[in-house]
Amino acid sequence: MQPWLPAPLQTVIGLLLFGGLPLRDRWQLLDAIERSWEGDPALPQNLDQRTAEEWLAERKQSERARADVWTPLARFLIGDDVTTISAAALVSVFTRCLLTARRHARLAVPTDTLHDLLLSPLAARLARTGATIRFNTATVLLQIENDRVTGVRLRDGTTLTADYYIMALPHRQLTAILPERVLTHYSYFQQLTQLSDSPALTVHLRIDTALQAPRVVLFARRTFHWLVSRPGPRRSGTVISVVATGKPELFERTDQDLIALALDELAYAYPGSEAIKLLDSQVVREPRAFLTMSPGTRVLRPLPQSPFRNLLIGGDWTDTGLPATLESAIISGTRCAEMILAKKE
Ligand SMILES: Cc1cc2nc3c(=O)[nH]c(=O)nc-3n(C[C@H](O)[C@H](O)[C@H](O)COP(=O)(O)OP(=O)(O)OC[C@H]3O[C@@H](n4cnc5c(N)ncnc54)[C@H](O)[C@@H]3O)c2cc1C
């Protein structure tokens, strides 16, 4: 338990008490944090051009601190390890989560599904305003004439028209529906083809035992990278999601293998849980789960305003300054809506 302290003191004290690292490493880590916080020395301009690994080594972070602390944190908060992500991504997320307001370091583990928590209430609210939502309706072409969008063509051949268009699709799907001449002519769109995504693999386990939950456990040097546990439906048993990111090689393993590996991680995180009864399991493979925050990515993420006045681009992968998360998607959507309102004034 940490004493109640404002940020960044709670991070500093938490690290000082963290028994997973030798004292010398803890001290170096604190020194690196304090210097980043105070800007001494000032952060180099080229942080987005270098990997976090290079920068941490330069900041005298030992191999052990990089593997046992920075990599698990980077995987959990940004999605990839420190050899993949840019130093800029690590510094901005770490500062925001752990060195600013105390509430930014809080973790929320929802007991509801994303559908019940966000999508259903949102759909109900939109319905009350008279909006129409069309599910399972794919756009196949963005029609553009001269300097404006004139419609979106749907798979069934119909065309929808509007005053303003917000395209909030994954970047690959967005570039796929652009006319070829638009994609080749405008650097705004062309640079999107240089973005890449990282894979995620999740094994959901439902067991009959009530374990201590909710709980988040980050792993270092193991097959999976973290697990999140929460009470099961109607508070019976426990549901555990065991996640690995940036490891496409795991996708080839059979579901049976992956479930066995996930159960190993569960036993590691909850010693003594080997005898639990598995009620249900599900393996979810997402080859393109989220934007890879590698060096050079920051400048490729687009601002909402496209070269066409009535077309705005949204999505968690756009230039929000955050990794590709729900929060980033919400910020992006809000910015697009605000820009349209400002245009209408
Ligand atoms: C396994 C996994 C776990 C995650 N866990 C978390 C988490 O714990 N916390 C968190 O904050 N974030 C998490 N995320 C990230 C979060 O899901 C995303 O940040 C968020 O969904 C992004 O929202 P979005 O609206 O930008 O994009 P999306 O949710 O990808 O929505 C884009 C939509 O566009 C639709 N679409 C695609 N092509 C077309 C087309 N041609 N025509 C019409 N529609 C189209 C898609 O079907 C999709 O519904 C996780 C992601 C994954 C994959």
Side-chain angles (χ1 to χ4, degrees), residues 193-339:
T193 59
Q194 294 173 51
L195 292 170
S196 56
D197 299 310
S198 296
L201 187 142
T202 309
V203 180
H204 301 285
L205 306 168
R206 190 161 68 84
I207 60 169
D208 66 346
T209 317
L211 298 176
Q212 186 199 346
R215 201 169 166 208
V216 176
V217 181
L218 310 194
F219 300 122
R221 305 178 200 252
R222 293 191 62 88
T223 310
F224 284 82
H225 300 124
W226 73 84
L227 70 73
V228 179
S229 61
R230 55 195 177 281
R234 292 174 295 285
R235 307 225 138 243
S236 92
T238 312
V239 174
I240 306 107
S241 303
V242 193
V243 184
T245 63
K247 278 187 148 183
E249 66 276 15
L250 279 184
F251 282 38
E252 281 143 39
R253 309 284 289 260
T254 62
D255 283 10
Q256 213 176 9
D257 265 5
L258 292 165
I259 292 164
L261 287 167
L263 285 168
D264 283 349
E265 308 297 35
L266 180 62
Y268 178 74
Y270 287 93
S273 67
E274 293 81 359
I276 51 111
K277 184 169 162 213
L278 183 62
L279 299 176
D280 202 1
S281 61
Q282 188 192 8
V283 177
V284 180
R285 295 172 176 82
E286 290 278 357
R288 296 197 181 99
F290 44 80
L291 185 70
T292 314
M293 303 281 281
S294 48
T297 296
R298 187 157 70 173
V299 292
L300 298 174
R301 298 176 80 182
L303 291 166
Q305 181 61 63
S306 79
F308 305 107
R309 191 174 181 278
N310 66 342
L311 173 65
L312 294 140
I313 304 301
D316 63 355
W317 54 275
T318 61
D319 185 24
T320 59
L322 298 179
T325 56
L326 285 170
E327 192 181 354
S328 176
I330 292 166
I331 289 176
S332 161
T334 307
R335 283 188 189 158
C336 289
E338 284 171 356
M339 288 183 85

Side-chain angles (χ1 to χ4, degrees), residues 1 5 31 71 82 116 119 127 129 154 208 289 307 311 333 340 345:
M1 278 293 281
L5 287 165
D31 189 49
T71 282
V82 292
D116 294 340
L119 297 183
T129 66
L154 306 182
D208 66 346
L311 173 65
I340 292 178
E345 275 169 6

Side-chain angles (χ1 to χ4, degrees), residues 105-156:
R106 276 206 211 131
L107 289 175
V109 180
T111 44
D112 286 332
T113 62
L114 204 56
H115 189 271
D116 294 340
L117 193 70
L118 280 179
L119 297 183
S120 290
L122 187 60
R125 194 161 165 189
L126 284 170
R128 283 199 297 278
T129 66
T132 305
I133 303 178
R134 297 198 190 191
F135 292 105
N136 303 315
T137 308
T139 302
V140 291
L141 180 71
L142 197 60
Q143 296 174 339
I144 297 175
E145 282 166 30
N146 302 323
D147 60 348
R148 53 188 293 114
V149 178
T150 54
V152 284
R153 191 176 318 144
L154 306 182
R155 183 164 292 147
D156 67 7

